[in-house]
């Protein structure tokens, strides 16, 4: 997702409009004061269930793998560029906040100042803690029909577990409505790495609105933070990417085939690098309606479940192992 440059990514971005939503169907401002943690050896993860179900910190000893999210409150449409948040019931944006599915036209509510609906409503709502143990946690969102215009009710579960290798994540969504539901899933972590190595073989070039209109074969093997920034939609990436830090830390991302797409984003001159495993490309619903077959859009019948899993393998420099 393209964000505007901001000097302190852990605090809310003042470039977004305020108030963010008229009559929001969730608490606004968002309250992220409550934090819960899990740990395994030197690895520790912290979460803010009330803050959109966010992962607010992931560290090994004194090393932060993601930008720590220190803010405890923000307006819903002015979220900090820090931590990691869930993308549900779709990843990235929907053009003009409008899509057609099974012959019905749906209009979604967008963040004021942004023409496209973005990332679904999961990042704005409080999640419930379930099955919290010293090394694992489940965060659950039961979203009723109509939130920001999304017409289907659903339940989403984020299941995190830390072990000696790193942080494991399972995302799942169940259609609780009475008709078929299009959907997608993903996560949006703000890593502190300076580059990512991968082997993606398909690029989805963005138009002037920052949205893809199709794809083409192109090999992308590395993306770095830069003065220019980037917002890159990729697929056929084998579910593998390795993030690198100048001091030798490495994070190996292993995603199952459900995460068929990945977004690599960094703002110009920023201190973060977003590598986002997602199940669908941006504007997947409209692209699929136009006949594109590689979007990753899922269709869930009533009661059906879709899940995707990933591992963030955390490797300190050799001298610190």
């Amino acid at each position: 997702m393209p964000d505007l440059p901001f000097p302190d990514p852990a605090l809310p971005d003042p470039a977004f409009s305020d108030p963010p939503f008229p009559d929001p169907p969730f608490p606004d401002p968002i309250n992220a004061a409550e934090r819960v943690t899990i740990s395994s050896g030197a690895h520790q993860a912290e979460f803010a269930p009330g803050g959109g179900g966010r992962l607010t910190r992931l560290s090994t000893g004194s090393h932060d793998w993601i930008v720590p999210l220190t803010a405890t409150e923000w307006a819903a449409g002015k979220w900090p560029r820090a931590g990691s948040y869930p993308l549900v019931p779709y990843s990235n944006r929907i053009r003009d906040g409008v899509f057609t599915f099974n012959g019905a036209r749906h209009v979604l509510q967008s963040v004021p100042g942004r023409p496209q609906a973005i990332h679904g409503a999961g990042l704005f709502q409080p999640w419930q803690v379930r099955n919290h143990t010293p090394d694992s946690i489940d965060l659950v969102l039961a979203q009723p029909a109509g939130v920001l215009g999304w017409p289907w009710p659903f339940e989403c579960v984020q299941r995190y577990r830390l072990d000696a290798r790193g942080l494991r994540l399972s995302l799942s969504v169940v259609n609780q409505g009475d008709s078929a539901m299009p959907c997608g899933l993903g996560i949006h972590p703000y890593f502190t790495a300076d580059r990512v190595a991968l082997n993606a073989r398909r690029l989805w070039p963005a138009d002037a609105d920052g949205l893809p209109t199709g794809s083409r074969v192109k090999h992308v093997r590395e993306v770095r933070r830069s003065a220019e920034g980037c917002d890159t939609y990729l697929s056929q990436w084998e579910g593998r990417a390795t993030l690198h830090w100048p001091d030798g830390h490495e994070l190996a991302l292993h995603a199952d085939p459900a995460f068929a797409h990945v977004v690599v984003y960094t703002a110009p001159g920023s201190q973060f690098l977003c590598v986002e495993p997602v199940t669908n490309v941006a504007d997947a619903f409209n692209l699929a309606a136009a006949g594109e077959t590689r979007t990753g859009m899922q269709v869930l019948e009533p009661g059906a479940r879709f899940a995707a899993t990933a591992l963030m393998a955390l490797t300190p420099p050799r001298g610190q192992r």
Side-chain angles (χ1 to χ4, degrees):
M1 109 186 203
D3 291 308
L4 298 176
F6 186 59
D8 187 348
L11 297 176
D13 191 333
F16 295 157
S17 56
D18 188 20
F21 293 105
D23 302 320
F26 38 73
D28 189 6
I30 289 173
N31 184 344
E34 179 194 7
R35 303 295 170 101
V36 293
T37 62
I38 61 176
S39 61
S40 176
H43 303 320
Q44 186 174 70
E46 178 191 78
F47 303 87
R54 280 168 167 80
L55 171 67
T56 54
R57 188 164 195 155
L58 178 62
S59 59
T60 301
S62 61
H63 178 76
D64 286 311
W65 300 97
I66 62 175
V67 178
L69 199 168
T70 56
T72 58
E73 183 179 281
W74 57 85
K78 297 169 65 175
W79 61 87
R81 297 188 302 175
S84 176
Y85 51 80
L87 309 175
V88 62
Y90 56 88
S91 159
N92 214 276
R93 286 158 286 168
I94 296 175
R95 191 182 296 274
D96 300 323
V98 178
F99 70 97
T100 299
F101 177 72
N102 282 353
R105 183 175 184 266
H106 301 285
V107 179
L108 305 180
Q109 188 175 352
S110 304
V111 177
R114 292 188 175 205
Q116 284 85 33
I118 187 165
H119 294 336
L123 75 161
F124 303 122
Q125 300 177 77
W127 294 56
Q128 302 302 311
V129 176
R130 182 191 294 173
N131 302 328
H132 183 199
T133 73
D135 62 3
S136 67
I137 191 170
D138 291 358
L139 300 174
V140 182
L141 173 67
Q143 178 172 306
V147 176
L148 298 188
W150 187 258
W152 297 273
F154 64 86
E155 180 183 80
C156 182
V157 178
Q158 301 181 78
R159 175 164 294 165
Y160 285 95
R161 180 174 179 269
L162 266 178
D163 58 25
R165 193 173 181 193
L167 184 64
R168 300 177 186 273
L169 165 66
S170 171
L171 277 176
S172 63
V173 61
V174 175
N175 177 8
Q176 296 182 323
D178 56 9
S179 63
M181 178 182 85
C183 72
L185 296 168
I187 58 171
H188 195 307
Y190 291 83
F191 292 111
T192 56
D194 68 344
R195 64 186 178 94
V196 61
L198 69 170
N199 184 27
R201 301 188 305 279
R202 183 165 292 274
L203 173 70
W204 298 72
D207 63 12
D209 295 322
L211 291 170
T213 56
S215 67
R216 61 183 173 88
V217 174
K218 180 176 175 61
H219 285 83
V220 177
R221 304 190 186 280
E222 184 178 83
V223 181
R224 293 176 174 265
R225 290 198 320 238
S226 67
E228 297 78 22
C230 73
D231 192 24
T232 308
Y233 304 115
L234 302 169
S235 60
Q236 297 179 2
W237 66 294
E238 302 174 350
R240 300 290 184 269
T242 303
L243 291 99
H244 296 272
W245 280 255
D247 65 1
H249 282 83
E250 292 184 358
L251 185 154
L253 180 61
H254 304 269
D256 75 22
F259 282 121
H261 295 257
V262 64
V263 181
V264 182
Y265 166 69
T266 182
S270 70
Q271 296 301 304
F272 62 79
L273 180 65
C274 297
V275 181
E276 311 162 34
V278 296
T279 64
N280 64 275
V281 73
D283 202 31
F285 303 158
N286 286 313
L287 290 172
E292 173 60 63
T293 60
R294 299 185 177 97
T295 67
M297 182 185 80
Q298 305 296 313
V299 177
L300 295 183
E301 295 299 326
R305 176 179 181 270
F306 173 61
T309 61
L311 165 67
M312 300 181 197
L314 310 175
T315 304
R318 186 174 301 274
Q320 298 180 25
R321 298 175 197 173

